Amino acid sequence: EMLNPPGGASASSSSSSGKACGASEISQTIDRYLTLARLYMELYPRATKIIGALFGILMFKWIFLRHRGQSVYVPPHLARHYGSVQSYYDLQIAKIDHWCLMGGDDDCVCDDPTEELSRPEVSGWTSVFEQNKRVAAAAPRDIDVVFLGDEFTQAWTGMKMTKPVVGGTMITTFFNQTFQKDKGGTVNGIALGIYGDTTANLLFRINHGEVPDTLNPKVWWILIGANDLVRGQCSEEAVVVGILRLADEIAMKKPGSIVVIQGLLPRSSFSDGALSHSHSKSTVDARARRNITNRMNTPIKAINTELENFCAQHEHMVYFDTSSLFFGSLGNEHFQSSQKIILKELMPDFAHP
């Protein structure tokens, strides 16, 4: 009785009747449309065939050709984690899930990060490489730190490939006063970077003269991988493998030294330096929202997290993240936005310090 109170049966009956009436009306509507379609086919058979053929072609193109000529975006992820990797052999046999950032293996120019690669075809690359080798060979015996990397590292020398950068003299003066004891620094250091280099390019440089037997600092500082990600469109996993391959190479060549892996820096193509926007107030920002640069920050975060986890599990490996130094927020004494933005004063183009 509790489960079937008085009136329950009649209420259930009326509900079922209502549902049946609704289903009947839908069925009748469908029948009317089908009848009209049959009549149209009988009256206009040729037109019906043409319409049917066009509909079939459109459906075929939508199903099979809609992604032709463009990459299908794959959400940033790492199919394999590398915290337990112990040697070059482990990296060499790694099964990378996909080489390209947007998915697949063919729609990018990602080099194999475990194989060294030079860039003699690029104007100025060889001359900068030879200069780096001379600097490495002439380094003092009591050197404390060697910075290895791409344009971020080369900027410490005041150069962009073979040309001076804006403010290069000021940058070089600051570096020398910080990393040369005879000029007031507390440690001795040198910067060996080349504009546009990837992890495979740095691997070549390490194995061909930039890390000579006479160069034995306490700390090797690596900042590399941005060009793999942005220019090569390499997947997060490929970038991580490339950076760890370099750390492993240095550890083998210089056992006992400390290897610092610096995390990749954030990027933005929004006019205010924001990492993302739910809406845009200008056509410039509308274009920026679609720009590939703004898709990079989630992969960058995934890469940095993996590098941090790796270093935490390996002695003599240190992870260093400077991203927070470049972040600020909009506001005044009355309001402070919670959204992080890249400070234009520290990153004028929101990509390079």
Side-chain angles (χ1 to χ4, degrees):
E1 290 180 358
M2 290 295 292
L3 294 175
N4 296 286
S10 61
S12 176
S13 175
S14 64
S15 174
S16 299
S17 175
K19 291 179 181 178
C21 288
S24 176
E25 289 176 1
I26 293 172
S27 177
Q28 290 173 6
T29 301
I30 293 172
D31 286 341
R32 282 197 294 269
Y33 279 117
L34 290 174
T35 301
L36 286 172
R38 284 195 293 269
L39 288 172
Y40 189 87
M41 290 172 65
E42 291 175 2
L43 293 171
Y44 308 102
R46 189 172 179 180
T48 302
K49 289 178 181 179
I50 293 172
I51 293 172
L54 289 173
F55 180 76
I57 291 170
L58 290 173
M59 287 299 296
F60 177 84
K61 289 180 68 176
W62 187 83
I63 294 171
F64 296 104
L65 303 178
R66 57 180 166 153
H67 296 304
R68 188 176 183 180
Q70 65 181 32
S71 299
V72 181
Y73 180 64
V74 176
H77 74 286
L78 282 159
R80 177 184 175 184
H81 296 284
Y82 292 83
S84 60
V85 166
Q86 297 295 331
S87 70
Y88 163 61
Y89 178 74
D90 292 332
L91 292 171
Q92 195 175 36
I93 64 172
K95 300 295 184 182
I96 294 180
D97 181 68
H98 57 283
W99 284 89
C100 299
L101 181 64
M102 305 298 287
D105 300 329
D106 303 321
D107 295 330
C108 61
V109 289
C110 184
D111 302 316
D112 185 342
T114 66
E115 298 292 333
E116 59 186 43
L117 181 68
S118 62
R119 292 200 296 154
E121 74 284 357
V122 177
S123 176
W125 188 88
T126 300
S127 63
V128 178
F129 174 49
E130 293 298 327
Q131 173 63 17
N132 283 353
K133 290 197 291 183
R134 289 191 290 271
V135 171
R141 293 290 185 267
D142 63 341
I143 191 167
D144 297 291
V145 56
V146 172
F147 296 93
L148 294 169
D150 49 29
E151 57 265 36
F152 295 105
T153 303
Q154 191 188 11
W156 284 119
T157 67
M159 303 295 288
K160 177 181 178 181
M161 201 60 87
T162 57
K163 298 179 180 179
V165 298
V166 176
T169 302
M170 179 184 67
I171 295 170
T172 304
T173 300
F174 177 81
F175 182 86
N176 292 340
Q177 291 175 348
T178 307
F179 295 104
Q180 289 188 19
K181 290 181 179 179
D182 60 354
K183 295 184 179 179
T186 56
V187 295
N188 277 326
I190 58 173
L192 305 174
I194 301 183
Y195 179 85
D197 266 7
T198 63
T199 54
N201 303 143
L202 181 52
L203 182 61
F204 176 90
R205 288 159 45 198
I206 287 173
N207 288 330
H208 294 271
E210 282 195 21
V211 181
D213 294 339
T214 56
L215 189 61
N216 295 290
K218 300 179 182 70
V219 175
W220 296 89
W221 193 293
I222 302 173
L223 174 54
I224 195 81
N227 291 310
D228 300 69
L229 185 66
V230 178
R231 193 185 74 219
Q233 293 287 290
C234 298
S235 68
E236 303 88 346
E237 196 166 1
V239 176
V240 169
V241 168
I243 295 172
L244 298 188
R245 174 71 178 89
L246 293 168
D248 183 66
E249 188 69 25
I250 293 172
M252 288 192 297
K253 288 180 179 293
K254 307 293 180 179
S257 60
I258 295 173
V259 178
V260 176
I261 300 177
Q262 183 173 334
L264 302 189
L265 298 176
R267 289 173 171 258
S268 174
S269 60
F270 287 111
S271 60
D272 60 358
L275 301 185
S276 64
H277 269 302
S278 58
H279 64 278
S280 298
K281 295 181 180 179
S282 69
T283 55
V284 173
D285 278 355
R287 288 194 299 270
R289 191 171 64 250
R290 297 190 296 270
N291 191 296
I292 187 65
T293 298
N294 292 312
R295 298 182 190 175
M296 293 296 173
N297 289 298
T298 300
I300 286 172
K301 188 179 294 185
I303 290 167
N304 288 347
T305 298
E306 191 67 20
L307 295 174
E308 184 176 14
N309 292 339
F310 173 84
C311 290
Q313 299 181 50
H314 291 78
E315 193 177 0
H316 302 304
M317 297 282 176
V318 178
Y319 174 75
F320 189 80
D321 187 11
T322 60
S323 295
S324 60
L325 300 177
F326 298 94
F327 284 134
S329 59
L330 297 174
N332 51 38
E333 64 272 21
H334 304 293
F335 171 77
Q336 196 74 22
S337 173
S338 60
Q339 184 182 32
K340 290 182 179 179
I341 63 169
I342 298 174
L343 297 173
K344 192 176 183 66
E345 296 81 0
L346 299 179
M347 266 192 191
D349 64 350
F350 302 127
H352 300 87

